[in-house]
C-alpha cells in the first residue's frame, strides 16, 4: 500500500506505530442532538437492503409489498389520547391507512431501534463494533440507569471531551458502560446486549520505536506534574520545546528541531509505545494504585516508572486537547491514537481531574498528594453501605468517619487508595474497588475471609456474617435475584443468605454460555426493518393487520415463593485449598405448595425494555407470540427450538409433580414467549431463573413504562424469544 503524500501526524502515527493494516474507514460524527420523532420517519427511508438470517415481518398479499407511498392523511383527525381499543374511534376495521395516517395511529411514541456496524481504527475489516441507537419514544427516559443514582460514573470515560457521551462508540471501554446498566435491577441495555457480539481485535503489540526517554529523578517528575496543573504552555513554542530538555531527545535537534505540537505528539506516542512501560490496557493492571501504594525503597523503581509514564501521558493528553486545535481535528487525532496509548490518556485525565501535588522530594515517602474527590467518595461509600444494609454498618461507618478525620483512608489498601483518589480506569474494575473499600474499612476480622474479591473473576459473590449475600451484577445469581434487591455500583444486594456457604465466604459461580446463537452484523443492521411497528413497507396499511395488546394485570399470581438459595461445591475447579471456591447455583421455589428447583446453568442476560409513550400500541400480525402466566412457565421446555424436533433426553421436568409438555404453535422458531410475571418480585425471579435454566436471554418490560407490543418488537430487534412482563407498584419501591 502506498503511503499518502501528506506526511502529517495522522499518517505518521499510522505508518510508524501500527503493526496491523487499518481499514481506514473513519466517519465524521453528526452533531450531537436529542433523538426525535422525525428520526423514526427518516429511518424508514434509510433502511439498508442487507441480507439477514432473521426474517422480516411479512404481509399476506405480496402485491402490496411494493413501494411505500407517503400519502397524506385521508381526512381523519388523530386523537393523541392513548388507545383503548382497536380499531380506534372513527376508523373502520376494513379501512386501509396511508403511511402518514398509519404512523400517527400506530407509530407515535414507539421506540424505533436502529443498529450500527462501525469499523475499528487500526484493525482489518474482520473486526467491527456493533451498537444501537433509539428514537421516537418522545420522552426523557431511556433503557439505561441514571449513572449518578447507580454510582457508576467512574466505570466509563469518553475518548474525547468531558461529560456524558452522546453515542455508545464514544467511550474507551467497550461495550460502553455509559449505556450499560439497565434501569431495572439486574438488567442491561439493548446497546450493551448488541455490543457483546462486536468483533474486537486483540490488543496489538506496537513496534518498539527505539525512542528512550532521558534519565530523570523523581523530584523533576513531580515538579513537572505540579507545573501542568496550571495547563500547557501551548502558546509559546520555546516553552513547549522544553519537553526535549526535560524528558525526550530530539533526533533532529540541529537541522529541524521538533518545535511544532504535531511532531511533539508523534514523539510522545512513540516514546510511550516502548515495551518497558506498564500496559494499562491489560485488565491485570487496571487497579493502577497497586504500583504506587507501596512507598518503601523496595518499590521505588516501580513507583518512579509509574509517575514517569504518567507525566509523559499528561504531556500528550494536554497537547492533543490544546485549545489551538479544532474539535474536528481533536476527534480525528484521538481516533488514530493506538488503543494501548489511549489507556495511558485515560489515566492522565483521571489524574488531571482529581489529584494535586502538594509536596515532593527525591523519594516516594516524601510525596504528598491532595485528592479532590475524597469527600465525595466518602459520602458515596457511606451511602453504598446503607443501601446494601451492611451487617456491621454502625462500626464500619464509625471507622470510616474516624479514618477520614485522621487522613488515613487511602493507606488501608491499594483498592481504597484507588477508590478514594478517583484513579479508576474505566471498565469492570470499579464495582470491586468500592466493595473492597467497604470490606477493608470494616473493622470486623470476619472480613479477612473476603479479601480475595477481584475483577479478574467477575462472576462471584459472598456471604457476610450469615446475614446477607451480595452478588456482582455480572453474575447469573445477581441477575436472577435482582428483582428482590437493590442494584448499586455494580452489586446486587442485600440478597437472602444460604446454608451452603460459611458464615463469611466468597463464592465463584460456574455458568455456561447461553444456548442462543450469536447476533451477526446483518442481524444488527437489519434491526429497524425487523422491528418496524408498521411491518414491511406498503402502499396502504390495512387496519385488520394490527391488534391492540393489553395484558390482564388484575389476575395476579400469588402462589410463588423463593424457598432457598442452593450452592453445590465443585472440587474439580478448585485451584488451591486456600482460595475462593467454585459453585453451581440453583434456586428452589414453592409453587402452589410444590417445590420446583431451577438450576442457574446458563449466564443469560436480561435487557431492560425501552420505555414508550402514548401507549398501548397496536402490534402487526406477523410478530408472533404466545402468552403464559408465570406459574405455568415451569411446564415449558425447549422453547425456541423447532417444533418438529424430538424432545431431547435432557428435556425433563425441572421439578414438582406436573408433567412438562412442549408448547407447539406452528413452526416459527422466532415466536416470542411472553411471561406475565405481575405481582410480587418472586414471580419475576422465577421467570428469570427459568430463563437461566434453559439458556434463554429475555427482554424485561415494566408495562407501566413499556407496552406489550413494544416489548415484543424489541425482542425481535434483539433476536430474542422471551419477554418478561412485570409491573412496578408503589409498595415495591418501599
Amino acid at each position: 500500500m502506498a503511503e499518502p503524500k501528506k506526511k502529517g501526524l495522522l499518517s505518521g502515527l499510522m505508518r510508524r506505530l501500527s503493526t496491523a493494516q487499518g481499514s481506514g474507514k473513519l466517519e465524521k460524527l453528526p452533531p450531537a442532538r436529542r433523538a426525535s420523532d422525525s428520526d423514526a420517519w427518516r429511518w424508514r427511508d434509510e433502511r439498508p437492503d442487507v441480507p439477514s438470517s432473521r426474517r422480516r415481518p411479512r404481509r399476506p398479499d405480496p402485491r402490496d409489498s411494493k413501494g411505500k407511498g407517503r400519502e397524506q392523511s385521508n381526512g381523519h383527525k388523530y386523537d393523541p389520547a392513548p388507545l383503548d381499543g382497536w380499531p380506534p374511534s372513527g376508523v373502520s376495521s376494513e379501512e386501509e391507512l396511508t403511511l402518514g395516517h398509519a404512523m400517527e395511529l400506530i407509530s407515535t411514541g414507539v421506540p424505533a431501534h436502529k443498529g450500527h456496524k462501525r469499523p475499528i481504527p487500526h484493525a482489518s475489516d474482520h473486526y467491527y463494533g456493533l451498537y444501537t441507537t433509539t428514537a421516537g419514544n418522545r420522552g426523557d427516559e431511556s433503557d439505561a440507569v441514571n449513572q449518578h443514582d447507580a454510582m457508576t460514573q467512574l466505570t466509563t470515560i469518553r475518548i474525547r471531551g468531558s461529560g456524558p457521551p452522546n453515542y455508545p462508540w464514544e467511550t474507551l471501554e467497550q461495550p460502553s458502560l455509559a449505556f450499560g446498566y439497565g434501569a431495572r435491577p439486574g438488567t442491561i441495555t439493548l446497546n450493551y446486549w448488541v455490543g457483546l457480539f462486536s468483533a474486537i481485535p486483540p490488543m496489538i503489540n506496537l513496534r518498539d520505536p527505539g525512542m528512550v526517554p532521558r534519565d530523570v529523578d523523581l523530584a523533576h517528575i513531580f515538579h513537572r506534574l505540579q507545573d501542568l496543573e496550571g495547563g500547557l504552555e501551548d502558546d509559546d513554542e520555546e516553552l513547549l520545546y522544553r519537553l526535549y530538555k526535560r524528558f525526550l531527545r530530539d533526533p533532529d535537534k540541529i537541522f529541524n528541531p521538533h518545535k511544532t505540537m504535531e511532531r511533539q505528539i508523534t514523539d510522545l506516542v512513540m516514546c510511550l509505545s516502548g515495551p518497558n512501560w506498564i500496559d494499562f490496557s491489560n485488565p491485570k493492571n487496571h487497579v493502577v494504585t497497586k504500583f504506587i501504594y507501596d512507598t518503601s525503597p523496595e518499590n521505588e523503581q516501580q513507583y518512579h516508572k509509574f509517575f514517569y509514564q504518567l507525566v509523559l501521558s499528561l504531556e500528550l493528553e494536554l497537547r492533543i486537547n490544546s485549545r489551538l486545535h479544532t474539535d474536528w481535528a481533536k476527534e480525528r487525532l484521538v481516533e488514530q491514537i493506538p488503543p494501548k496509548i489511549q489507556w495511558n490518556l485515560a489515566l492522565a485525565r483521571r489524574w488531571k481531574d482529581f489529584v494535586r501535588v502538594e509536596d515532593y522530594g527525591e523519594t516516594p515517602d516524601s510525596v504528598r498528594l491532595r485528592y479532590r474527590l475524597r469527600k465525595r467518595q466518602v459520602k458515596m461509600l457511606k451511602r453504598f453501605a446503607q443501601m446494601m444494609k451492611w451487617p456491621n454498618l454502625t462500626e464500619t461507618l464509625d471507622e470510616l468517619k474516624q479514618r477520614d478525620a485522621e487522613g488515613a483512608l487511602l493507606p488501608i489498601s491499594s483498592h481504597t487508595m484507588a477508590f478514594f483518589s478517583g484513579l479508576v480506569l474505566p471498565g469492570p474494575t470499579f464495582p470491586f474497588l468500592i466493595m473492597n473499600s467497604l470490606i477493608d474499612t470494616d473493622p470486623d476480622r470476619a472480613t479477612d475471609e473476603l479479601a480475595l474479591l477481584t475483577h479478574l473473576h467477575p462472576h462471584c459473590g459472598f456471604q457476610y456474617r450469615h446475614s446477607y449475600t451480595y452478588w456482582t451484577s455480572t453474575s447469573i445469581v445477581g441477575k436472577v435475584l435482582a428483582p428482590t434487591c437493590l442494584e448499586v455500583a455494580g452489586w446486587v444486594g442485600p440478597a437472602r443468605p444460604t446454608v451452603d456457604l460459611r458464615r463469611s465466604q466468597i463464592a465463584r459461580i460456574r455458568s455456561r454460555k447461553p444456548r442462543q446463537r450469536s447476533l451477526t452484523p446483518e442481524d444488527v443492521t437489519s434491526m429497524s426493518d425487523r422491528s418496524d411497528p408498521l411491518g414491511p413497507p406498503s402502499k396502504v396499511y390495512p387496519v385488520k393487520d394490527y391488534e391492540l395488546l393489553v395484558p390482564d394485570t388484575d389476575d395476579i399470581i400469588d402462589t410463588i415463593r423463593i424457598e432457598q438459595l442452593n450452592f453445590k461445591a465443585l472440587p474439580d475447579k478448585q485451584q488451591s485449598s486456600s482460595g475462593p471456591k467454585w459453585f453451581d447455583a440453583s434456586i428452589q421455589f414453592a409453587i402452589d405448595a410444590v417445590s420446583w428447583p431451577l438450576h442457574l446453568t446458563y449466564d443469560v442476560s436480561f435487557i431492560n425494555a425501552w420505555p414508550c409513550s402514548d401507549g398501548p400500541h397496536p402490534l402487526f400480525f406477523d410478530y408472533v407470540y404466545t402468552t403464559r402466566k408465570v406459574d405455568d412457565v415451569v411446564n415449558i421446555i425447549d422453547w425456541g427450538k423447532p417444533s418438529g424436533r424430538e424432545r431431547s433426553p435432557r428435556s425433563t421436568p425441572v421439578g414438582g409433580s406436573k408433567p412438562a409438555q412442549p408448547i407447539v404453535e406452528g413452526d416459527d422458531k422466532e415466536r416470542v414467549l411472553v411471561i406475565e410475571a405481575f405481582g410480587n418480585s418472586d414471580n419475576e425471579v422465577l421467570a428469570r431463573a427459568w430463563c437461566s435454566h434453559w439458556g434463554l436471554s429475555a427482554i424485561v418490560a415494566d408495562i407501566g413504562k413499556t407496552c406489550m407490543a413494544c416489548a415484543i418488537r424489541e425482542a425481535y430487534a434483539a433476536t430474542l424469544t422471551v419477554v418478561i412482563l412485570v409491573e412496578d407498584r408503589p409498595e415495591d419501591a418501599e
Side-chain angles (χ1 to χ4, degrees), residues 394-414:
T394 302
E395 291 80 359
T396 302
L397 295 186
D398 288 343
E399 182 78 5
L400 178 65
K401 183 178 180 180
Q402 181 180 344
R403 284 185 172 271
D404 184 32
E406 297 172 352
L409 282 173
L410 281 83
I412 299 176
S413 68
S414 59

Side-chain angles (χ1 to χ4, degrees), residues 20 31 108 112 139 142 234 290 319 424 449 469 504 525-526 546 641 705:
T108 300
S142 72
D234 53 5
K290 72 179 182 180
R319 280 169 170 79
V424 181
E449 300 292 329
T469 56
S504 297
T525 54
S526 65
Y546 304 88
K641 293 185 179 180
K705 298 179 179 180

